[in-house]
Amino acid sequence: MTTQRTFSIIKPDATRRNLTGAINAMLEKGGLRIVAQKRLQLSRAQAEAFYGVHKERPFFNDLCQFMISGPIVAQVLEGENAVARNREIMGATNPANAAEGTIRKVHAESIEANSVHGSDSPENAAIEIAFFFSGIEIVG
Ligand code: CMP
């Protein structure tokens, strides 16, 4: 077990419904510490760059359009095995498949408007954190 960092986004469907605090409480209750956080309005180019790995997927355009439909909250989360832990707390990508008590089961509206994003590996966490934050903005 090692202390690790992961990257998280509270998505526009959740900020629209004023759920930032409710989601943060679930992250903290799940054992993660929010060591950096900022609320942003992404541009189309920024959304396309962030989700670049998905650019060949059929849902890419809709995903980018959704991600610029309102503010997001970008976060760095820290804790024991933070990447895997955050994925447990979030639940499955599709809320229909998410376990009881997970963020997506409780709050998500659909597979697209699924309230949160979380890095899928420590390598991608480092890339995603660096996309949004400089070192001086992360305070553990
Ligand atoms: P996220 O973890 O942010 O990574 C990519 C996102 O694409 C995913 O969450 C979903 O919100 C979104 N998405 C939209 N449609 C699909 C789909 N059919 N399969 C997987 N992801 C999808």
Side-chain angles (χ1 to χ4, degrees):
M1 301 283 265
T2 64
T3 298
Q4 204 177 50
R5 286 177 176 172
T6 191
F7 177 72
S8 163
I9 294 177
I10 300 177
K11 295 188 180 184
D13 66 287
T15 61
R16 192 174 291 123
R17 288 175 289 148
N18 208 22
L19 293 172
T20 299
I23 289 172
N24 281 350
M26 293 172 85
L27 296 170
E28 291 179 343
K29 198 166 175 207
L32 297 174
R33 182 176 296 271
I34 301 161
V35 295
Q37 174 168 262
K38 56 187 167 190
R39 184 172 166 105
L40 303 160
Q41 173 64 53
L42 287 182
S43 68
R44 176 90 198 184
Q46 288 168 333
E48 288 178 357
F50 179 74
Y51 279 119
V53 293
H54 294 307
K55 65 175 180 294
E56 305 304 334
R57 305 273 212 115
F59 57 81
F60 179 69
N61 269 329
D62 284 350
L63 172 62
C64 292
Q65 198 55 43
F66 166 66
M67 290 300 288
I68 66 171
S69 67
I72 64 157
V73 178
Q75 305 175 309
V76 181
L77 308 177
E78 189 175 85
E80 290 290 318
N81 295 311
V83 171
R85 185 76 197 104
N86 187 40
R87 292 177 73 76
E88 285 172 12
I89 298 167
M90 289 192 299
T93 304
N94 186 344
N97 303 326
E100 291 297 330
T102 60
I103 292 171
R104 285 167 170 160
K105 180 69 173 185
V106 173
H107 293 301
E109 297 179 319
S110 67
I111 192 169
E112 178 177 270
N114 65 352
S115 299
V116 281
H117 163 82
S119 306
D120 63 4
S121 67
E123 295 74 25
N124 283 335
I127 293 167
E128 293 176 355
I129 289 169
F131 187 93
F132 282 96
F133 293 97
S134 64
I136 202 169
E137 294 177 303
I138 305 168
V139 184

